Amino acid sequence: MDMLLNLAPNVHCSRGDMDDATLSLPDSKVVQIGGFKVGIIHGHQVVPWGSTSSLSIKARSLDCDILISGHTHAAGIVEDGGVWYINPGSITGAYSPTAQTPEQAAPSFVLLAVQGGKVVCYQYKYNEGKDAVEVSKTEFEKKTE
């Protein structure tokens, strides 16, 4: 945590299933960033892990527009029912029993650029075959009623 706080003054985290019990981290957290409510969970709280339908139940209970979760170590960005589900994957490329292919377990992370009601999500993923980091960009806007 100290290392993260040295990189950025505003760090939001949730407790993972393997985190030290002495860390005072919440099981879930919702933060307002621009026009979005962003929910943060580790992901072990939903079954089956990574299931969009299971994650949607959590997103509704947190009343969030974007739900960031992990646990599967497999990166992915999905929109369903007006909610964006972002799994940054694993920055170390840690093994995952849910990853079906080597690409799904590749080291990855995401950066979000939020401006008002628009989000640009940059996904960085290491491609071992090319020995390069590939960057993809997904944009989404909050639906106004």
Side-chain angles (χ1 to χ4, degrees), residues 38-51:
V38 180
I40 304 164
I41 64 170
H42 176 253
H44 67 280
Q45 303 95 325
V46 299
V47 177
W49 300 332
S51 160

Side-chain angles (χ1 to χ4, degrees), residues 12-14 26-33 36-43 45 55 58-70 83-88 112:
H12 302 284
C13 298
S14 63
D27 284 333
S28 62
K29 185 172 188 175
V30 178
V31 294
Q32 185 76 37
I33 302 175
F36 294 88
K37 288 184 193 174
V38 180
I40 304 164
I41 64 170
H42 176 253
Q45 303 95 325
L55 288 167
K58 191 67 173 173
R60 282 193 302 276
S61 75
L62 295 175
D63 188 29
C64 59
D65 306 301
I66 299 170
L67 181 62
I68 300 174
S69 68
V83 177
W84 285 91
Y85 300 92
I86 300 173
N87 185 331
L112 299 179

